[in-house]
Amino acid sequence: MLLTADVGNTNIKLGIFDGDNLRYKLRFATDGKMTSDEFAVELYTFFQIYGIDYKKIDGSIISSVVPKVTQPLSEAVSIVMGVQSLIIGPGLKSGMDLQIDRPETLGGDIVCGCVGAYEKFGGPVIVVFMGTATVIAYVDENCAYHGGIIAPGVGISLDALTSRGALLPAVDLQAPRKAICTNTVDCIRSGVVNGTACMLDGMIDKFVAEAGKDCKVIATGGLAPKIINNCTHQISFEENIILYGLKSIYFRNKK
């Protein structure tokens, strides 16, 4: 079995594959202060709760955008399962041609998500990542990555708005029934949810125009379903596309 780990700024998402089947998933908060022993306890507890025979896990791969977490988590995997993790970064073969100015600066989660999306849907494909930041990426029909955009994430935008506006209340991210709203709470919801949806629609139009080709559009990230349901473009939600990309890259590099 294979352990895959996607370390984001907000959450760490783990997946365990048995062949091509994603059998188990776990998500917990990213904490840059945790030691390798503390991560080992998290992993061991996860295995005990779900009755996973971790001795059958003979491979591990990690994508991380939080350097302080990468080594402790890798060490924890070694402590619990006795395997050395592959780390997404320069030196690993992704199978994707990175046609950008500085390929080494591209986040591992973006690489894995784009690889997973291309392998499942082919190209050209636009991949929308909705996490701490909102990232939109373009991959052509030859699995070449051409870049994209980075924007503030939905959660960051909402937190900034309500924390800096003294009279603005905290709200949940539910789309109101109408775009034109008549109370403060729904006005904020419309601005954040519908505003983000309009941004995605507009950027997709620009990507398609610049590419000169129709594109499939895939979205991932915990907040994606709340937003893409309000888009005019057809956008498929793929919750685990980064984990599948990690699996693909692992077997491409397995010796």
Side-chain angles (χ1 to χ4, degrees):
M1 292 195 294
L2 172 68
L3 174 72
T4 58
D6 171 27
V7 180
N9 289 294
T10 305
N11 292 302
I12 298 173
K13 189 172 183 179
L14 302 180
I16 295 179
F17 285 89
D18 188 356
D20 290 330
N21 181 33
L22 179 58
R23 292 191 58 188
Y24 304 99
K25 295 182 296 182
L26 171 69
R27 185 191 301 267
F28 55 94
T30 302
D31 185 351
K33 296 180 181 179
M34 286 180 65
T35 65
S36 57
D37 290 334
E38 290 171 320
F39 276 119
V41 171
E42 290 274 5
L43 291 174
Y44 185 77
T45 302
F46 172 45
F47 298 143
Q48 294 299 310
I49 290 174
Y50 290 99
I52 301 169
D53 185 359
Y54 61 87
K55 295 179 182 178
K56 293 183 178 179
I57 298 175
D58 55 6
S60 171
I61 184 167
I62 298 172
S63 165
S64 176
V65 297
V66 186
K68 291 189 295 185
V69 169
T70 309
Q71 183 175 347
L73 180 58
S74 177
E75 291 174 352
V77 171
S78 179
I79 291 170
V80 176
M81 288 162 282
V83 299
Q84 298 299 313
S85 299
L86 297 181
I87 309 297
I88 296 294
L92 281 191
K93 296 177 289 186
S94 68
M96 189 165 61
D97 180 14
L98 302 180
Q99 296 187 5
I100 56 176
D101 297 336
R102 296 180 60 194
E104 72 278 5
T105 64
L106 183 61
D109 54 340
I110 308 303
V111 173
C112 295
C114 288
V115 168
Y118 181 84
E119 294 215 342
K120 184 169 184 178
F121 298 97
V125 61
I126 296 171
V127 189
V128 181
F129 300 84
M130 303 202 72
T132 304
T134 295
V135 176
I136 309 176
Y138 172 68
V139 180
D140 71 14
E141 64 275 17
N142 298 313
C143 199
Y145 177 86
H146 291 268
I149 68 108
I150 302 174
V154 176
I156 286 178
S157 298
L158 180 59
D159 289 345
L161 178 64
T162 56
S163 64
R164 297 293 293 271
L167 297 179
L168 297 179
V171 302
D172 56 8
L173 281 174
Q174 298 296 328
R177 296 179 181 177
K178 302 185 298 181
I180 302 173
C181 300
T182 56
N183 62 77
T184 301
V185 169
D186 281 345
C187 284
I188 294 173
R189 287 172 174 161
S190 183
V192 174
V193 176
N194 289 321
T196 303
C198 290
M199 184 273 284
L200 293 184
D201 281 328
M203 291 306 305
I204 290 168
D205 287 337
K206 287 183 176 292
F207 276 43
V208 170
E210 289 187 17
K213 302 167 185 173
D214 289 334
C215 302
K216 308 171 190 72
V217 186
I218 313 302
T220 192
L223 294 175
K226 295 180 182 292
I227 305 300
I228 64 176
N229 288 337
N230 296 279
C231 291
T232 57
H233 282 279
Q234 168 114 20
I235 304 175
S236 300
F237 176 61
E238 295 290 333
E239 179 184 7
N240 303 309
I241 203 70
I242 294 176
L243 299 181
Y244 278 95
L246 278 163
K247 175 181 70 71
S248 174
I249 293 172
Y250 175 82
F251 286 109
R252 183 178 291 273
N253 289 272
K254 182 181 178 182
K255 296 181 180 179

